[in-house]
Amino acid sequence: MSLVPAPPSALLFLEVFRIGFVPVGWLDLLDIALTAVLVYQGYRLIRGTIAVQVAVALLGIYALSEVVRAIGLTTLNTLFGAVGDVFVLAVLILFAPEIRQALFLLGRNPLVRRLVTQPPRQKITDEVVGALREMSRDRVGSLIAFARSSGLRNYVESGTQIHAEVERDLLTSIFFPNSPLHDGAVIVQGQKIEAARCILPVSDARTLDPHLGLRHRAAVGLTERTDAFVVVTSEETGKISVAENGKLDVDLSLDEVEARFNAAFSPARRDDDEPAPPAP
Ligand SMILES: Nc1ncnc2c1ncn2[C@@H]1O[C@H](COP(=O)(O)OP(=O)(O)OP(=O)(O)O)[C@@H](O)[C@H]1O
């Protein structure tokens, strides 16, 4: 009895049909489909260029070498063998521009981009902290809500849709006092500023400082109903506050805000997050 485990391909091989006495399995079908896609994409890439003629010539040489080998022409076979040794190198050199373009296109594929690029969270943090620094210094009132697991669609729809990158200059322009969008809240979902001028639910919690105005109460109100993370700059004092889980922390430094932001969006934190308390 053999103790050597069967190769995975043998385990996965499930016969679908037979061509004569040759069994065809799911793996073969997958293999054929992937090869077809690859060849088709390669063809699309070089279609209409001189590379087509080069590819045809190379295929011709390859076919000829196989014929020569099959019928046993020794001298020619040795010659083609020598060519075969440098075949891969020749393909790489001859098709360098096409290969570069294919890799470039592959890198632009959203699926691959997701795998190979870091999520730009740090960039968002930097942009937001930069905007908060400016708005706090210039005493510009602002209210920015960051969606986490609870969707904020209802609130997004109450405002003006933007769907733009999170950038410091855009945030400061939105909240600039003369801007038509400065009233209300900005909502960030994922990597985008989804909307501005959004109306958030106002908290009437008696535990809040009675001097707090509507901007801060709206920040708390949203976090009572959802697990959003909200930052506020006060127009009156320039202080920066963070609202989370129905609580407001006032007068935080930029470093503290950054730490809170990073903690709120770290994957570990998301997993152990308590659900937001129900709306009162
Ligand atoms: N429900 C709401 N949703 C979103 N934004 C709101 C809401 N209510 C008020 N605001 C925003 O808050 C602004 C009013 O701020 P108010 O002065 O009452 O608050 P505050 O908490 O004292 O803030 P600040 O310290 O900046 O003055 C409004 O101009 C508006 O932009």
mmCIF file of all heavy atoms in Angstrom, residues 141-143 182-185 198-202 211-218 232-237, ligand 1:
data_model
loop_
_atom_site.group_PDB
_atom_site.id
_atom_site.type_symbol
_atom_site.label_atom_id
_atom_site.label_comp_id
_atom_site.label_asym_id
_atom_site.label_seq_id
_atom_site.Cartn_x
_atom_site.Cartn_y
_atom_site.Cartn_z
ATOM 1 N N GLY A 141 -16.403 76.645 11.780
ATOM 2 C CA GLY A 141 -17.213 75.544 12.314
ATOM 3 C C GLY A 141 -17.317 74.414 11.287
ATOM 4 O O GLY A 141 -17.511 74.673 10.098
ATOM 5 N N SER A 142 -17.153 73.177 11.754
ATOM 6 C CA SER A 142 -17.304 72.044 10.824
ATOM 7 C C SER A 142 -17.861 70.827 11.552
ATOM 8 O O SER A 142 -17.752 70.714 12.780
ATOM 9 C CB SER A 142 -15.951 71.687 10.184
ATOM 10 O OG SER A 142 -15.112 71.092 11.141
ATOM 11 N N LEU A 143 -18.444 69.964 10.781
ATOM 12 C CA LEU A 143 -19.058 68.744 11.315
ATOM 13 C C LEU A 143 -18.866 67.653 10.259
ATOM 14 O O LEU A 143 -19.410 67.757 9.160
ATOM 15 C CB LEU A 143 -20.547 69.023 11.556
ATOM 16 C CG LEU A 143 -21.468 67.906 12.000
ATOM 17 C CD1 LEU A 143 -20.981 67.289 13.310
ATOM 18 C CD2 LEU A 143 -22.885 68.454 12.209
ATOM 19 N N HIS A 182 -21.590 75.129 3.415
ATOM 20 C CA HIS A 182 -20.951 75.088 4.746
ATOM 21 C C HIS A 182 -21.891 74.666 5.875
ATOM 22 O O HIS A 182 -21.453 74.188 6.905
ATOM 23 C CB HIS A 182 -20.305 76.442 5.070
ATOM 24 C CG HIS A 182 -21.262 77.451 5.610
ATOM 25 N ND1 HIS A 182 -22.099 78.185 4.801
ATOM 26 C CD2 HIS A 182 -21.540 77.829 6.879
ATOM 27 C CE1 HIS A 182 -22.833 78.980 5.546
ATOM 28 N NE2 HIS A 182 -22.527 78.783 6.812
ATOM 29 N N ASP A 183 -23.193 74.845 5.670
ATOM 30 C CA ASP A 183 -24.160 74.504 6.720
ATOM 31 C C ASP A 183 -24.355 72.996 6.784
ATOM 32 O O ASP A 183 -24.356 72.347 5.741
ATOM 33 C CB ASP A 183 -25.506 75.145 6.352
ATOM 34 C CG ASP A 183 -25.973 76.077 7.438
ATOM 35 O OD1 ASP A 183 -25.251 76.224 8.434
ATOM 36 O OD2 ASP A 183 -27.062 76.654 7.267
ATOM 37 N N GLY A 184 -24.527 72.466 7.977
ATOM 38 C CA GLY A 184 -24.797 71.027 8.079
ATOM 39 C C GLY A 184 -23.520 70.202 8.125
ATOM 40 O O GLY A 184 -22.426 70.722 8.369
ATOM 41 N N ALA A 185 -23.671 68.906 7.855
ATOM 42 C CA ALA A 185 -22.546 67.975 8.029
ATOM 43 C C ALA A 185 -22.053 67.435 6.704
ATOM 44 O O ALA A 185 -22.820 67.288 5.753
ATOM 45 C CB ALA A 185 -22.996 66.813 8.906
ATOM 46 N N CYS A 198 -25.531 67.947 5.052
ATOM 47 C CA CYS A 198 -26.440 66.888 5.517
ATOM 48 C C CYS A 198 -27.020 67.258 6.884
ATOM 49 O O CYS A 198 -26.346 67.890 7.707
ATOM 50 C CB CYS A 198 -25.706 65.554 5.626
ATOM 51 S SG CYS A 198 -25.011 65.043 4.065
ATOM 52 N N ILE A 199 -28.250 66.838 7.096
ATOM 53 C CA ILE A 199 -28.910 67.110 8.376
ATOM 54 C C ILE A 199 -28.815 65.856 9.233
ATOM 55 O O ILE A 199 -29.241 64.773 8.826
ATOM 56 C CB ILE A 199 -30.386 67.502 8.153
ATOM 57 C CG1 ILE A 199 -30.430 68.754 7.278
ATOM 58 C CG2 ILE A 199 -31.094 67.734 9.481
ATOM 59 C CD1 ILE A 199 -31.805 69.056 6.731
ATOM 60 N N LEU A 200 -28.237 66.015 10.401
ATOM 61 C CA LEU A 200 -28.078 64.878 11.310
ATOM 62 C C LEU A 200 -29.100 64.982 12.433
ATOM 63 O O LEU A 200 -29.577 66.085 12.750
ATOM 64 C CB LEU A 200 -26.655 64.869 11.897
ATOM 65 C CG LEU A 200 -25.498 64.900 10.892
ATOM 66 C CD1 LEU A 200 -24.163 64.785 11.629
ATOM 67 C CD2 LEU A 200 -25.617 63.781 9.859
ATOM 68 N N PRO A 201 -29.415 63.860 13.072
ATOM 69 C CA PRO A 201 -30.376 63.925 14.188
ATOM 70 C C PRO A 201 -29.723 64.597 15.396
ATOM 71 O O PRO A 201 -28.563 64.330 15.702
ATOM 72 C CB PRO A 201 -30.661 62.447 14.479
ATOM 73 C CG PRO A 201 -29.478 61.711 13.949
ATOM 74 C CD PRO A 201 -28.928 62.497 12.815
ATOM 75 N N VAL A 202 -30.449 65.456 16.047
ATOM 76 C CA VAL A 202 -29.894 66.215 17.180
ATOM 77 C C VAL A 202 -30.157 65.460 18.479
ATOM 78 O O VAL A 202 -31.273 64.980 18.705
ATOM 79 C CB VAL A 202 -30.535 67.617 17.229
ATOM 80 C CG1 VAL A 202 -30.091 68.381 18.467
ATOM 81 C CG2 VAL A 202 -30.179 68.388 15.969
ATOM 82 N N HIS A 211 -24.471 74.192 27.432
ATOM 83 C CA HIS A 211 -24.014 75.281 26.564
ATOM 84 C C HIS A 211 -23.722 74.815 25.138
ATOM 85 O O HIS A 211 -23.488 75.643 24.266
ATOM 86 C CB HIS A 211 -22.743 75.933 27.151
ATOM 87 C CG HIS A 211 -23.014 76.576 28.471
ATOM 88 N ND1 HIS A 211 -22.546 76.064 29.657
ATOM 89 C CD2 HIS A 211 -23.744 77.679 28.789
ATOM 90 C CE1 HIS A 211 -22.975 76.822 30.651
ATOM 91 N NE2 HIS A 211 -23.695 77.806 30.151
ATOM 92 N N LEU A 212 -23.739 73.504 24.978
ATOM 93 C CA LEU A 212 -23.413 73.001 23.631
ATOM 94 C C LEU A 212 -24.538 73.340 22.663
ATOM 95 O O LEU A 212 -25.715 73.187 22.981
ATOM 96 C CB LEU A 212 -23.230 71.481 23.648
ATOM 97 C CG LEU A 212 -21.914 70.954 24.217
ATOM 98 C CD1 LEU A 212 -21.932 69.438 24.248
ATOM 99 C CD2 LEU A 212 -20.725 71.456 23.394
ATOM 100 N N GLY A 213 -24.128 73.798 21.490
ATOM 101 C CA GLY A 213 -25.115 74.173 20.476
ATOM 102 C C GLY A 213 -25.497 72.980 19.593
ATOM 103 O O GLY A 213 -25.132 71.822 19.860
ATOM 104 N N LEU A 214 -26.193 73.322 18.530
ATOM 105 C CA LEU A 214 -26.757 72.273 17.667
ATOM 106 C C LEU A 214 -25.710 71.464 16.914
ATOM 107 O O LEU A 214 -25.900 70.278 16.657
ATOM 108 C CB LEU A 214 -27.715 72.910 16.668
ATOM 109 C CG LEU A 214 -29.048 73.344 17.263
ATOM 110 C CD1 LEU A 214 -29.888 74.068 16.218
ATOM 111 C CD2 LEU A 214 -29.801 72.105 17.769
ATOM 112 N N ARG A 215 -24.589 72.091 16.552
ATOM 113 C CA ARG A 215 -23.571 71.358 15.788
ATOM 114 C C ARG A 215 -23.066 70.170 16.608
ATOM 115 O O ARG A 215 -23.013 69.049 16.133
ATOM 116 C CB ARG A 215 -22.401 72.293 15.443
ATOM 117 C CG ARG A 215 -21.540 71.735 14.320
ATOM 118 C CD ARG A 215 -20.270 72.547 14.103
ATOM 119 N NE ARG A 215 -20.428 73.968 14.098
ATOM 120 C CZ ARG A 215 -20.697 74.722 13.016
ATOM 121 N NH1 ARG A 215 -20.848 74.145 11.857
ATOM 122 N NH2 ARG A 215 -20.789 76.030 13.114
ATOM 123 N N HIS A 216 -22.724 70.461 17.875
ATOM 124 C CA HIS A 216 -22.193 69.386 18.726
ATOM 125 C C HIS A 216 -23.283 68.364 19.060
ATOM 126 O O HIS A 216 -23.031 67.169 19.130
ATOM 127 C CB HIS A 216 -21.582 69.975 19.998
ATOM 128 C CG HIS A 216 -20.317 70.759 19.730
ATOM 129 N ND1 HIS A 216 -20.346 72.064 19.314
ATOM 130 C CD2 HIS A 216 -19.011 70.393 19.769
ATOM 131 C CE1 HIS A 216 -19.093 72.484 19.117
ATOM 132 N NE2 HIS A 216 -18.269 71.490 19.401
ATOM 133 N N ARG A 217 -24.499 68.848 19.245
ATOM 134 C CA ARG A 217 -25.612 67.923 19.563
ATOM 135 C C ARG A 217 -25.948 67.034 18.367
ATOM 136 O O ARG A 217 -26.339 65.880 18.532
ATOM 137 C CB ARG A 217 -26.848 68.713 20.017
ATOM 138 C CG ARG A 217 -26.692 69.246 21.416
ATOM 139 C CD ARG A 217 -27.926 69.918 21.954
ATOM 140 N NE ARG A 217 -27.722 70.217 23.371
ATOM 141 C CZ ARG A 217 -27.968 69.380 24.360
ATOM 142 N NH1 ARG A 217 -28.468 68.183 24.097
ATOM 143 N NH2 ARG A 217 -27.734 69.721 25.601
ATOM 144 N N ALA A 218 -25.777 67.586 17.159
ATOM 145 C CA ALA A 218 -26.011 66.769 15.961
ATOM 146 C C ALA A 218 -24.931 65.678 15.864
ATOM 147 O O ALA A 218 -25.225 64.538 15.473
ATOM 148 C CB ALA A 218 -26.010 67.648 14.720
ATOM 149 N N VAL A 232 -15.882 67.409 15.121
ATOM 150 C CA VAL A 232 -16.482 68.749 15.067
ATOM 151 C C VAL A 232 -15.399 69.781 15.351
ATOM 152 O O VAL A 232 -14.549 69.557 16.212
ATOM 153 C CB VAL A 232 -17.557 68.908 16.193
ATOM 154 C CG1 VAL A 232 -18.293 70.226 16.062
ATOM 155 C CG2 VAL A 232 -18.522 67.747 16.197
ATOM 156 N N THR A 233 -15.421 70.908 14.627
ATOM 157 C CA THR A 233 -14.628 72.054 15.092
ATOM 158 C C THR A 233 -15.625 73.150 15.443
ATOM 159 O O THR A 233 -16.623 73.354 14.742
ATOM 160 C CB THR A 233 -13.644 72.587 14.018
ATOM 161 O OG1 THR A 233 -14.343 72.854 12.819
ATOM 162 C CG2 THR A 233 -12.499 71.630 13.762
ATOM 163 N N SER A 234 -15.347 73.817 16.533
ATOM 164 C CA SER A 234 -16.268 74.845 17.009
ATOM 165 C C SER A 234 -15.928 76.187 16.376
ATOM 166 O O SER A 234 -14.771 76.613 16.371
ATOM 167 C CB SER A 234 -16.176 74.945 18.532
ATOM 168 O OG SER A 234 -16.787 76.137 18.946
ATOM 169 N N GLU A 235 -16.981 76.812 15.863
ATOM 170 C CA GLU A 235 -16.801 78.132 15.259
ATOM 171 C C GLU A 235 -16.467 79.157 16.340
ATOM 172 O O GLU A 235 -15.726 80.098 16.130
ATOM 173 C CB GLU A 235 -18.121 78.506 14.568
ATOM 174 C CG GLU A 235 -18.034 79.697 13.673
ATOM 175 C CD GLU A 235 -19.331 79.922 12.912
ATOM 176 O OE1 GLU A 235 -20.349 79.287 13.249
ATOM 177 O OE2 GLU A 235 -19.319 80.745 11.995
ATOM 178 N N GLU A 236 -17.029 78.911 17.548
ATOM 179 C CA GLU A 236 -16.871 79.877 18.635
ATOM 180 C C GLU A 236 -15.479 79.820 19.262
ATOM 181 O O GLU A 236 -14.851 80.844 19.504
ATOM 182 C CB GLU A 236 -17.880 79.514 19.723
ATOM 183 C CG GLU A 236 -18.766 80.653 20.155
ATOM 184 C CD GLU A 236 -19.891 80.110 20.998
ATOM 185 O OE1 GLU A 236 -19.674 80.035 22.221
ATOM 186 O OE2 GLU A 236 -20.932 79.722 20.451
ATOM 187 N N THR A 237 -15.001 78.593 19.502
ATOM 188 C CA THR A 237 -13.762 78.438 20.266
ATOM 189 C C THR A 237 -12.612 77.823 19.467
ATOM 190 O O THR A 237 -11.463 77.866 19.912
ATOM 191 C CB THR A 237 -14.006 77.512 21.481
ATOM 192 O OG1 THR A 237 -14.385 76.219 20.966
ATOM 193 C CG2 THR A 237 -15.105 78.032 22.378
HETATM 194 N N1 LIG B 1 -29.264 68.831 12.696
HETATM 195 C C1 LIG B 1 -28.128 69.337 12.193
HETATM 196 N N2 LIG B 1 -27.397 68.600 11.341
HETATM 197 C C2 LIG B 1 -26.275 69.076 10.835
HETATM 198 N N3 LIG B 1 -25.747 70.269 11.107
HETATM 199 C C3 LIG B 1 -26.416 71.047 11.959
HETATM 200 C C4 LIG B 1 -27.637 70.620 12.549
HETATM 201 N N4 LIG B 1 -28.076 71.599 13.351
HETATM 202 C C5 LIG B 1 -27.165 72.585 13.267
HETATM 203 N N5 LIG B 1 -26.163 72.269 12.440
HETATM 204 C C6 LIG B 1 -24.992 73.078 12.072
HETATM 205 O O1 LIG B 1 -24.579 73.751 13.237
HETATM 206 C C7 LIG B 1 -24.571 75.130 12.981
HETATM 207 C C8 LIG B 1 -25.067 75.829 14.200
HETATM 208 O O2 LIG B 1 -24.159 75.642 15.181
HETATM 209 P P1 LIG B 1 -24.396 76.106 16.668
HETATM 210 O O3 LIG B 1 -23.696 77.400 16.839
HETATM 211 O O4 LIG B 1 -25.815 75.998 17.070
HETATM 212 O O5 LIG B 1 -23.666 74.918 17.312
HETATM 213 P P2 LIG B 1 -22.469 74.818 18.329
HETATM 214 O O6 LIG B 1 -22.500 73.399 18.749
HETATM 215 O O7 LIG B 1 -22.564 75.893 19.342
HETATM 216 O O8 LIG B 1 -21.211 75.035 17.406
HETATM 217 P P3 LIG B 1 -20.127 76.209 17.397
HETATM 218 O O9 LIG B 1 -19.286 75.993 18.586
HETATM 219 O O10 LIG B 1 -19.427 75.972 16.122
HETATM 220 O O11 LIG B 1 -20.920 77.500 17.414
HETATM 221 C C9 LIG B 1 -25.505 75.337 11.840
HETATM 222 O O12 LIG B 1 -25.133 76.495 11.130
HETATM 223 C C10 LIG B 1 -25.355 74.107 11.054
HETATM 224 O O13 LIG B 1 -24.276 74.238 10.152
#
